[in-house]
Amino acid sequence: MGLVGFETRKAFTKRLTRRANRLGIQNVELIRGDARKLLPVLFEPKSISAVHVQFPDPWWKKRHQRRRLIDGYFVTLVHNLLAPGGLVFLRTDVLDYGRTMMETFEDGTHRFENVAGQGSFIDDDGLGVPSNRERRYLAAGTPVYRLVYKSSNF
Ligand SMILES: C[S@@+](CC[C@H](N)C(=O)[O-])C[C@H]1O[C@@H](n2cnc3c(N)ncnc32)[C@H](O)[C@@H]1O
């Protein structure tokens, strides 16, 4: 399985690339740039088996929230790129953002099935791999909200 990761910040992309090289991980490609712009350029429709978004920037202030990664445009983008039965894994520590993600995926525009049932977060998304950030949250008792959506993109 090949993994492609996107990160807008140069220093973070370099750091991640160094870490992947150090760990000998060969099935990952890290690309510096905006996932929203690059995904439709780099991938054919219905060619991706899963999309993972972990702890996207929350943009707390109301007037900044239009900068959030996950919105109607992103859901349509992902819907077009996922193969039938493809999965979307989302994690956030920000309940309000988690609810917005849920509303956006479940607003009926596209056929996404919430694996936990409509309107519900999932306790265990089955991935079992916390990032360093998530390890910190879990150690501090900060709740993490997880969602898994399955595309019925036939
Ligand atoms: C809050 S951090 C979380 C990083 C990591 N997923 C984790 O769990 O620790 C969000 C990261 O997403 C990057 N980012 C924000 N918008 C992006 C976009 N449109 N495309 C690619 N990366 C983006 C930011 O630069 C930042 O490093």
Side-chain angles (χ1 to χ4, degrees):
M1 178 182 51
L3 301 168
V4 180
F6 297 95
E7 169 56 57
T8 45
R9 294 172 69 174
K10 191 174 176 182
F12 290 174
T13 313
K14 278 187 166 177
R15 193 190 300 170
L16 286 166
T17 304
R18 274 200 303 271
R19 194 180 294 170
N21 289 341
R22 195 175 62 237
L23 294 169
I25 299 171
Q26 290 178 347
N27 65 339
V28 67
E29 175 103 22
L30 295 160
I31 298 176
R32 182 191 167 206
D34 183 341
R36 291 165 62 100
K37 291 187 181 148
L38 292 173
L39 276 166
V41 177
L42 296 178
F43 293 96
E44 296 287 333
K46 300 191 180 188
S47 67
I48 294 179
S49 58
V51 171
H52 299 254
V53 181
Q54 299 197 351
F55 307 99
D57 294 311
W59 295 108
W60 295 101
K61 291 183 183 166
K62 200 86 194 156
R63 69 176 189 279
H64 290 159
Q65 285 181 1
R66 60 195 155 82
R67 299 181 193 173
R68 285 179 168 179
L69 178 68
I70 296 172
D71 60 5
Y73 167 82
F74 187 81
V75 174
T76 297
L77 179 60
V78 163
H79 180 265
N80 292 340
L81 294 177
L82 279 175
L87 296 168
V88 184
F89 296 89
L90 307 168
R91 291 183 194 176
T92 180
D93 58 310
V94 182
L95 179 57
D96 159 68
Y97 196 3
R99 287 195 176 126
T100 303
M101 292 175 188
M102 202 188 284
E103 281 162 18
T104 315
F105 271 86
E106 296 180 24
D107 71 1
T109 307
H110 301 293
R111 291 177 60 206
F112 275 110
E113 176 201 344
N114 182 335
V115 171
Q118 206 174 350
S120 299
F121 293 107
I122 196 161
D123 290 332
D124 180 359
D125 60 19
L127 295 172
V129 186
S131 65
N132 290 345
R133 176 185 297 271
E134 185 166 0
R135 272 185 239 280
R136 283 201 305 277
Y137 291 150
L138 296 176
T142 305
V144 171
Y145 304 96
R146 298 178 177 82
L147 291 160
V148 182
Y149 286 98
K150 186 171 184 177
S151 164
S152 356
N153 194 357
F154 297 109

